[in-house]
Amino acid sequence: MRDETSHELQVALRCVIEASRVCQRVRTEMVERAAVTKADRSPVTVADFASQAVICRMLSEAFPGDTIVAEETSAELKDPANAWLLSRATGFVRLSFPEASEELVCRWIDKGTRETAPRYWCLDPIDGTKGFLRGDQYAVALALVMDGKAILGALACPGLPMDLDRPGAPVGVIFYAQRGKGAFQIATGEASAVPIRVSQEGLGSGIRFCESVEPGHADQERHRTVALRLGIAKPSIRMDSQAKYGIVARGDASIYLRLPSPVSPDYREKVWDHAAGVVIVEEAGGKVTDTLGRPLNFGLGPRLTENKGVVATSGHIHEQVLAALEGS
Ligand code: AMP
Ligand code: MG
């Protein structure tokens, strides 16, 4: 099975595995002192910067001509008030690349841009930074986009249990997919990948839906209304990051709802929050659109400017879920 993987996929998997190793080190060693607040008031941590530096370094070595669209820039690191942040981030990057200096770390981070290209790598070095800081779920998310479509996705979820219903189950999962070649998961420390499929269950009281932990990132009240209309009796699974796409892809949840929050109705989703997850769910047999049923267009810059909200499902129930949104 691994023999069929492309060079791109092998590199992408190495990138997310290496970066998530760095993130886990940051998490165990210094999470309380790891964060600063960005201009948009969202948090960013030593791990976001270290993860982006490591992945941009690896990607640009393997594919020197490729564009990388990534969440972070070195701007915060260069602020003299944040000298400690640069120094700590560099220390963690050295675990992977002993030659790393503060200057090199900034240069590697800035290999990431905000301009999309016909072919580009789409990186969220830590998706779900708030979850990372809370000790909940986060993901390292990397996708390859061609002509506006995600064609490869690799998603490391270091804190995700292999079995959601067994609290003591081992944690740490990598999801991946290539367009046309199916979706897979690998448990941390295991060598072999296992194919994954979405749930085959029809709508009804037995199915589960998932949503963000953060009430400001979506319209959770409307999610509840839609769930009731669909006959869903179980409470939602609230989870940070694209780990939600992973649990839809392997059938733990049938629906991931992300309807625009009433607090920020004009918010347009960012490409790096979705690209990897979309290809994984679709290759597992599911479907992902915006709230109006349109496919997500990743070719228009760093935001999904033509889309509103996101709905991911196990596929066969997608039209029913979209219908339940109308007038909700
Ligand atoms: P989640 O853990 O699913 O809430 O996803 C985290 C992502 O939500 C972050 O990476 C942010 O880019 C994104 N985000 C921030 N503000 C909003 C918002 N108002 N609506 C939707 N997503 C947001
Ligand atoms: Mg993110």
Side-chain angles (χ1 to χ4, degrees):
M1 182 192 326
R2 278 297 191 90
D3 294 342
E4 279 187 33
T5 60
S6 63
H7 182 45
E8 275 85 353
L9 180 60
Q10 285 172 16
V11 172
L13 288 173
R14 277 206 298 274
C15 283
V16 299
I17 289 168
E18 190 60 32
S20 56
R21 211 169 60 90
V22 172
C23 294
Q24 287 296 84
R25 280 289 286 267
V26 176
R27 181 128 122 167
T28 50
E29 287 177 25
M30 62 168 302
V31 77
E32 343 55 69
R33 267 214 66 226
V36 296
T37 303
K38 287 196 278 193
D40 68 359
R41 306 191 57 76
S42 65
V44 63
T45 73
V46 167
D48 297 63
F49 292 116
S51 170
Q52 181 160 326
V54 164
I55 291 181
C56 287
R57 158 82 170 68
M58 293 174 77
L59 274 182
S60 55
E61 184 174 78
F63 304 103
D66 279 358
T67 298
I68 307 169
V69 174
E71 178 161 23
E72 308 305 337
T73 74
S74 70
E76 282 87 10
L77 291 180
K78 287 177 178 154
D79 179 342
N82 291 334
W84 65 274
L85 192 63
L86 177 56
S87 143
R88 295 309 300 263
T90 304
F92 283 103
V93 176
R94 276 199 196 116
L95 296 172
S96 304
F97 297 105
E99 78 273 24
S101 62
E102 294 189 352
E103 198 197 326
L104 274 175
V105 165
C106 290
R107 212 186 299 157
W108 293 339
I109 289 169
D110 290 333
K111 286 184 186 295
T113 74
R114 296 288 170 85
E115 289 204 19
T116 55
R119 169 184 159 117
Y120 75 93
W121 292 93
C122 181
L123 169 65
D124 197 339
I126 290 195
D127 182 33
T129 306
K130 289 176 181 169
F132 178 80
L133 288 166
R134 244 191 275 108
D136 291 331
Q137 293 304 323
Y138 73 97
V140 178
L142 181 61
L144 181 60
V145 177
M146 297 267 270
D147 301 322
K149 224 171 151 161
I151 60 152
L152 178 162
L155 198 60
C157 304
L160 187 67
M162 279 304 284
D163 182 345
L164 274 195
D165 295 321
R166 226 164 23 95
V171 298
V173 186
I174 292 148
F175 297 101
Y176 71 85
Q178 289 181 102
R179 189 74 57 201
K181 295 196 171 159
F184 300 85
Q185 71 174 357
I186 315 174
T188 297
E190 302 265 326
S192 59
V194 178
I196 49 173
R197 287 299 291 168
V198 291
S199 167
Q200 298 305 310
E201 206 170 333
L203 281 172
S205 57
I207 71 164
R208 295 198 282 194
F209 80 101
C210 61
E211 60 185 350
S212 174
V213 172
E214 292 294 327
H217 289 183
D219 189 345
Q220 297 189 336
E221 213 175 297
R222 198 168 157 220
H223 293 177
R224 264 187 296 281
T225 307
V226 172
L228 277 177
R229 281 185 173 198
L230 293 170
I232 298 173
K234 294 182 175 169
S236 69
I237 301 171
R238 294 177 64 217
M239 187 177 277
D240 301 283
S241 85
Q242 284 171 74
K244 292 186 280 300
Y245 283 106
I247 65 169
V248 170
R250 71 181 187 187
D252 292 340
S254 296
I255 307 171
Y256 164 20
L257 290 176
R258 195 177 188 89
L259 310 183
S261 160
V263 182
S264 50
D266 297 324
Y267 183 86
R268 290 294 181 271
E269 298 288 336
K270 294 169 181 164
V271 288
W272 51 75
D273 286 333
H274 300 282
V278 168
V279 58
I280 290 164
V281 163
E282 290 180 344
E283 281 301 314
K287 185 158 181 175
V288 185
T289 66
D290 72 358
T291 49
L292 298 173
R294 299 173 295 200
L296 305 187
N297 185 347
F298 292 100
L300 304 171
R303 286 184 189 262
L304 299 171
T305 48
E306 276 183 0
N307 296 113
K308 257 199 131 175
V310 175
V311 178
T313 72
S314 53
H316 55 102
I317 61 171
H318 201 80
E319 292 307 317
Q320 291 161 282
V321 175
L322 289 179
L325 297 183
E326 280 173 34
S328 65

